[in-house]
Amino acid sequence: MAVRVPYPGLVAALTVLMLALFVLSLIIGPSATGIGDVARALVGIGDSRLILIVMEIRLPRAVLGMLVGAALGLSGAALQGFLRNPLAEPGLIGISGGAALGAVLALYFGLGTLTVWAVPAAALVGAAVAVLLVILLAGRSGTLTLILAGIAISSLASALMALALNLAPSPYAIVEIVFWMLGSLADRSNDHVLLAAPFVMVGLALLLSTARGLEALTLGDDVAATMGFSPTGLRLRIIAGASMAVGASVAVSGIVGFVGLVAPHLLRRHVGHRPGPLLLVSALAGASLVLAADTLVRLMPGGELKLGVVTALLGAPIFFHMILDQRRGAQ
């Protein structure tokens, strides 16, 4: 049986964990550094080489890890609450697939060699197009139609990505596409932070604003409507927020799986299965998971693993454990 932690204490504990992992991400790297060295580098004091490493390599990577994790965790919690489906996650409604397809097409046509903005910008456009198609297909129908439309768009995006790999003009293009699809925060710069952060922050704000609406929705659509929360308006806010946050995240990190699915599940029982309070803690847990996974890949011997591989390796056993736990609870 899960131990219930007071909600303010849970938020505080997750915040401390996230900040500790953020600092650890700044410390870990090929060159050994202490927390004091990193602190001095952040204010521009000390060895110029270390200042460059911290400010131009490690800090952007840590900030993006936090943003990407928060976007995935919060989007997963919001979608699960609205769709009333514990298996819902950003990929279910085509956001991740559309963003990935946009980036893959940019790499396929060699646009990545033109500017650092090309691949992320293409991913954002891909996410926007995918969400627009899902909304047009689903119309004003119920959540089941929305899920089916998302699955259809995701399947189409996956097929087109496979086609791009099959028809790639050179082995180098294939390597670039595969490496990007595996997900990574390596070699990210402040330019990537500047591109992703505004979209992610606006998306997170939109999703957090749906907390009261999701709480009302647990009482039924009609009751929620009488309380002033339109299910249609709530759906648009969640889709818009998730598409902005996740689209921008995929644009800079590639495909990072399982975070949007696992983070809400880890905490759902600790908030009494309430979708509103689950939003904030899922964002904090998602940020912590991605920061931890990204730190772990740098500690692996024989070169870095890809972030998406590590999150899948960590997420799948956690998910299996939760399934078994659910089975034991049902017996």
Side-chain angles (χ1 to χ4, degrees), residues 74-85 88-91 93 95 238-239 242:
L74 179 53
S75 297
L79 289 169
Q80 288 174 18
F82 178 75
L83 299 175
R84 300 163 197 174
N85 185 338
E89 52 96 25
I93 60 171
I95 301 171
I238 289 174
I239 292 176

Side-chain angles (χ1 to χ4, degrees), residues 314-328:
L314 292 175
I318 293 173
F319 202 52
F320 288 147
H321 172 73
M322 290 188 294
I323 292 172
L324 294 175
D325 195 38
Q326 290 281 350
R327 287 182 58 185
R328 285 194 295 268

